[in-house]
Amino acid sequence: MKSIYALLLLLLLAGVCRAQFPTFEKTYAVKPYILAIGITNPASAMLKVGGSVEYRRYRTSYLASYHIYTGAYFGKQYDAEWRWYFRKYMRHITNKWVYQDFFYFRSILGEMGYDGQKFAILGQKEDKFADPQFYLGSAPGYGRRYHKGALFFTIRSGIRVLTIPDLDEQYKSLYRLFYFTGPGSIVEVNFQAGIQL
């Protein structure tokens, strides 16, 4: 169900971006940044907190991030991301925000456990708990990065493919929702904000 909401949100964002397009014009006078520090999804801090550091060289950037999940699938996630930015910059005519589109590819490593008590809000309270499990995967996708002065925010979306290599048979039923909620959701929609130097 979360994947459907994420897809609808992505379509809504695409529509909003398309509707605002006439208010942007192509520009070439943009000073590129070298380093950016960001926080991930500040609005979802009850379930997920994290940050990243990005190093950019010309149209390519490398990003390392770390996240802590505190929901039913609690744990840690480490990401290494490669971005390739489009050549074109677009500047808003009135408020001077600039955006640039990019493709990305992420490699993901993580460790998560399961706490059934966290599903109580959905009426599925369980007294089940699973030990932390190691997982890995990757995620290709597309994003857009807005900036004005030292501030930036990024919206990106992609498809996440994860696997849990050594999952115990006794835990398989507990991890069915792992691929639809939290750190393992198949469709990822991510917002990030921060400062750039």
Side-chain angles (χ1 to χ4, degrees):
M1 192 67 167
K2 187 176 179 183
S3 297
I4 293 171
Y5 289 133
L7 184 59
L8 290 174
L9 178 63
L10 178 63
L11 292 174
L12 177 66
L13 288 173
V16 168
C17 290
R18 183 67 187 136
Q20 69 174 342
F21 185 76
T23 62
F24 282 84
E25 61 185 2
K26 193 182 292 187
T27 183
Y28 297 98
V30 176
K31 180 183 175 186
Y33 66 96
I34 296 172
L35 188 67
I37 301 166
I39 56 172
T40 303
N41 290 356
S44 66
M46 289 179 61
L47 299 174
K48 172 185 175 182
V49 293
S52 65
V53 176
E54 179 184 8
Y55 170 73
R56 181 166 175 175
R57 186 89 173 139
Y58 305 112
R59 292 171 56 200
T60 303
S61 78
Y62 307 93
L63 188 133
S65 58
Y66 172 73
H67 300 95
I68 298 173
Y69 289 84
T70 58
Y73 296 104
F74 63 92
K76 303 171 186 172
Q77 188 177 85
Y78 306 89
D79 304 343
E81 182 176 326
W82 172 83
R83 290 182 181 176
W84 183 81
Y85 286 90
F86 290 22
R87 189 180 305 276
K88 181 172 66 174
Y89 285 94
M90 299 295 286
R91 185 189 305 273
H92 195 276
I93 293 170
T94 56
N95 65 24
K96 305 307 179 194
W97 279 92
V98 174
Y99 78 78
Q100 190 177 25
D101 296 327
F102 62 87
F103 288 118
Y104 72 88
F105 181 82
R106 291 196 308 137
S107 295
I108 303 165
L109 293 173
E111 183 181 66
M112 55 61 204
Y114 175 78
D115 183 0
Q117 297 291 332
K118 299 285 178 81
F119 279 128
I121 195 168
L122 301 174
Q124 297 181 6
K125 188 174 180 180
E126 299 178 342
D127 285 331
K128 294 185 179 176
F129 188 86
D131 295 329
Q133 304 287 317
F134 170 76
Y135 65 91
L136 57 101
S138 60
Y142 174 82
R144 178 170 285 182
R145 187 179 196 282
Y146 291 84
H147 76 272
K148 183 177 183 181
L151 300 176
F152 79 89
F153 69 90
T154 301
I155 300 169
R156 68 178 183 192
S157 179
I159 302 297
R160 201 180 307 181
V161 181
L162 296 178
T163 184
I164 308 169
D166 298 320
L167 182 61
D168 266 343
E169 287 293 325
Q170 64 178 343
Y171 294 144
K172 278 194 174 176
S173 64
L174 301 179
Y175 286 98
R176 288 177 304 193
L177 293 177
F178 171 73
Y179 297 104
F180 299 100
T181 64
S185 58
I186 296 168
V187 176
E188 65 174 12
V189 177
N190 187 273
F191 173 78
Q192 191 177 51
I195 57 170
Q196 65 184 28
L197 309 170

